[in-house]
Amino acid sequence: MSGSSPAARLQQLFEGRRLTPTQRRIAHSMVRRAGDVPFLSSVELAELAGVSQPSVTRFAVALGFDGYPALRKHLREVAPAGSEPAGGDDAYNEYQQAVLGEIENLRHLAELLADPGPVERAGRLLAASRPLPVLGLRAASSQARGFGYFAAKVHPDVRVLDEGGSMLRDRIDAARRSGASALICFALPRHPKEVVDALAYAQEQGLAVVSVADSAFAPVAKYSDLLIPAAVGTGLAFDTACAPMLLGRVLLEAMCDGLPDAQARLEEFDARAAARGLFVE
């Protein structure tokens, strides 16, 4: 993430802090609206995060400020020159605002990827794991299945874990016994406790955990060796996950870079698909 971006400055402000779930929610909302936050009142920020105004005040104090006005003053002082409220939201209907919100999430993801190091490290971990477990439950199950579908075209052994229950640990055990060294997890709100427990167990068994989560402050952070955040959209009745999906494809690309035979596997699949008439041209 670019060190001069509003989102990067906020991220640095929160790093290393022990925040409550409510405070993590406020922090996440601030990062998502980094350009607007220095101009929001405590009431407006509370509405944005879906918390109470006193929670915003306590959050500012937890960050070491006398109160929210002091935090906002600090944010205005460090904001890049020319920053101003985005404004104009009233000109768009709720559907347009949801799309624009996702565009902003993708911009934040692009800033994050300015440093390719974490993604490249994740790609090496995933490429080296035989087999490769891919975990995602409930809202994140579609992300896990999508990643697993494409990963299986280049990786020799991909195991999608998209169902919870008593068998989940058994499947993690089976993967570990078969030689797995890493696990990738897609974690989206609302975060199932079962996912957090599964990651804690995976680490106990010696697996390196790579997580794609909606925030660096997500509950899975504690049990992730490498977490790469990609925000979800919250403008509609159900969250949208364009940024996490794109990040999953980026991680696939990085994993392919760590698999010398990835291109050959893709070409082999295309040849078999053509022979079977699998796709309509």
Side-chain angles (χ1 to χ4, degrees):
M1 183 177 294
S2 172
S4 62
S5 72
R9 291 177 184 273
L10 281 172
Q11 197 77 46
Q12 292 167 5
L13 180 62
F14 304 144
E15 282 177 358
R17 305 282 184 175
R18 295 181 61 87
L19 302 177
T20 67
T22 296
Q23 290 167 351
R24 288 198 300 267
R25 185 171 183 175
I26 297 170
H28 174 49
S29 298
M30 291 177 71
V31 170
R32 286 186 60 248
R33 294 286 295 276
D36 298 334
V37 164
F39 309 95
L40 299 180
S41 69
S42 60
V43 173
E44 290 171 329
L45 178 56
E47 291 177 351
L48 177 66
V51 301
S52 67
Q53 189 275 336
S55 293
V56 172
T57 300
R58 289 192 292 270
F59 172 72
V61 173
L63 294 178
F65 296 93
D66 292 336
Y68 181 72
L71 171 58
R72 186 170 63 174
K73 180 175 183 292
H74 171 77
L75 296 177
R76 288 180 175 179
E77 290 172 350
V78 301
S83 292
E84 58 184 22
D89 282 352
D90 292 343
Y92 301 102
N93 63 43
E94 62 179 313
Y95 311 124
Q96 291 175 298
Q97 289 182 31
V99 173
L100 292 172
E102 283 288 40
I103 291 172
E104 188 63 22
N105 289 340
L106 292 173
R107 287 197 183 101
H108 289 162
L109 179 59
E111 291 176 358
L112 179 76
L113 295 176
D115 175 9
V119 166
E120 291 172 349
R121 179 187 167 203
R124 290 191 295 270
L125 287 171
L126 303 181
S129 184
R130 303 284 197 284
L132 174 61
V134 182
L135 173 63
L137 303 183
R138 294 186 179 268
S141 62
S142 61
Q143 302 292 328
R145 287 194 296 270
F147 182 94
Y149 172 80
F150 290 109
K153 297 186 183 308
V154 293
H155 192 289
D157 191 353
V158 177
R159 303 185 184 185
V160 176
L161 312 180
D162 60 353
E163 295 183 1
S166 61
M167 292 293 292
L168 184 54
R169 288 195 177 192
D170 292 347
R171 297 179 71 188
I172 292 173
D173 283 339
R176 188 71 182 97
R177 286 196 302 271
S178 297
S181 57
L183 175 151
I184 181 170
C185 172
F186 289 86
L188 302 179
R190 301 171 63 187
H191 295 277
K193 182 178 183 296
E194 195 169 16
V195 170
V196 178
D197 292 342
L199 293 191
Y201 183 73
Q203 283 193 330
E204 289 175 5
Q205 302 311 305
L207 293 175
V209 174
V210 175
S211 291
V212 172
D214 60 301
S215 166
F217 313 103
V220 297
K222 182 178 180 181
Y223 301 106
S224 300
D225 297 282
L226 178 59
L227 185 149
I228 306 176
V232 299
T234 58
L236 300 175
F238 299 100
D239 291 344
T240 50
C242 294
M245 181 185 71
L246 181 54
L247 178 55
R249 299 298 187 270
V250 169
L251 287 169
L252 279 168
E253 185 75 11
M255 186 182 75
C256 286
D257 291 340
L259 293 168
D261 57 348
Q263 187 59 41
R265 285 178 176 273
L266 284 175
E267 291 174 359
E268 180 184 357
F269 171 79
D270 285 342
R272 290 199 309 268
R276 294 165 55 193
L278 193 58
F279 302 111
V280 178
E281 298 296 336

